Amino acid sequence: MTNIYPAMLSSGKVKGIESRPIEFVEKVWSYVEEVVMSVLMHNTENYCQHQSCIRRASHNLITRMKEWSVKWMKETVEMESLTDYTCNPEYVSEWTRLMGQQDSFMNALLTGEHSTIPVEGMGKVAVGDLRQYPDLKMRMTAYWKVVLRRLVDCMALHLQLNISKLVNKDLEIEFLGPNCGGGIEKMLQESP
């Protein structure tokens, strides 16, 4: 595989989007916190003496999980900016498809009739932009699709797993821990 890392850095693609996944992760965790707090406050409205502890413990846990997710997302974006590796077969098929348009590009380049040409998957592209290293630019375009899909998939899987852990395990551990004392255990017991 041709090394496209310098081309990706110079294009600024990874650096240009690095804040978006992090902002998205922060928004998701803020939304999760709103929902969790709303449900917890509704289900503990008869236990006012425990609500502040539950609110504080939930907020602290979700804040820690949000910070961990942001750190994980930053590392994921950094990995993408430091490598040009993929074993995704769609990369080769996309690159081949793009290179199949090379004849029309070369014709436009040789005749000089067009300043831009339509390249499927890239839109209208200035002939001058493709004049140098057309193969490399097509590889970068094909690889960029893989990078975006990988970022979205990894983020979705990470969030699903950690939200599930939060709801099914971590909140209970936090409520029964030293921050909320034994009062929560008493609240969870059925009254006679």
Side-chain angles (χ1 to χ4, degrees):
M1 175 183 338
T2 303
N3 186 349
I4 64 173
Y5 172 67
M8 290 194 68
L9 263 187
S10 65
S11 71
K13 286 189 176 230
V14 172
K15 295 290 182 195
I17 62 119
E18 71 183 342
S19 64
R20 288 184 181 173
I22 294 163
E23 290 169 2
F24 179 75
V25 165
E26 289 174 338
K27 285 180 183 179
V28 167
W29 279 111
S30 294
Y31 175 74
V32 166
E33 184 172 17
E34 281 180 38
V35 171
V36 166
M37 291 296 193
S38 174
V39 169
L40 287 173
M41 292 304 105
H42 174 74
N43 288 317
T44 61
E45 59 190 19
N46 293 330
Y47 305 96
C48 296
Q49 69 276 21
H50 299 295
Q51 281 188 330
S52 66
C53 174
I54 289 171
R55 184 179 289 115
R56 184 177 58 253
S58 300
H59 174 74
N60 291 342
L61 176 61
I62 293 171
T63 298
R64 284 194 311 269
M65 293 185 88
K66 180 193 279 188
E67 289 169 356
W68 187 79
S69 289
V70 166
K71 180 181 179 222
W72 180 87
M73 197 68 237
K74 284 179 180 177
E75 288 175 351
T76 303
V77 170
E78 184 179 1
M79 283 188 289
E80 291 296 350
S81 70
L82 294 176
T83 189
D84 63 350
Y85 171 76
T86 184
C87 61
N88 188 329
E90 291 177 24
Y91 164 75
V92 173
S93 62
E94 177 69 9
W95 172 73
T96 303
R97 187 184 65 75
L98 289 169
M99 288 306 290
Q101 301 172 61
Q102 189 173 15
D103 289 341
S104 65
F105 161 71
M106 293 305 289
N107 185 37
L109 183 65
L110 293 173
T111 62
E113 293 176 13
H114 305 286
S115 61
T116 63
I117 58 167
V119 177
E120 190 177 327
M122 295 174 71
K124 286 204 174 259
V125 177
V127 173
D129 290 345
L130 287 175
R131 190 175 308 273
Q132 289 185 325
Y133 314 110
D135 177 66
L136 188 61
K137 293 188 188 221
M138 298 299 186
R139 284 182 184 274
M140 189 173 85
T141 299
Y143 185 70
W144 185 241
K145 289 182 178 186
V146 171
V147 168
L148 291 177
R149 188 173 297 120
R150 191 163 43 205
L151 283 173
V152 169
D153 285 348
C154 287
M155 185 183 340
L157 291 170
H158 171 82
L159 289 170
Q160 281 183 325
L161 174 68
N162 285 287
I163 291 169
S164 175
K165 281 180 172 179
L166 170 76
V167 172
N168 296 319
K169 179 180 158 194
D170 296 342
L171 280 173
E172 181 179 343
I173 291 169
E174 192 76 13
F175 294 159
L176 297 176
N179 292 335
C180 284
I184 302 297
E185 281 183 333
K186 292 176 188 171
M187 181 182 82
L188 295 174
Q189 294 174 353
E190 295 284 329
S191 57

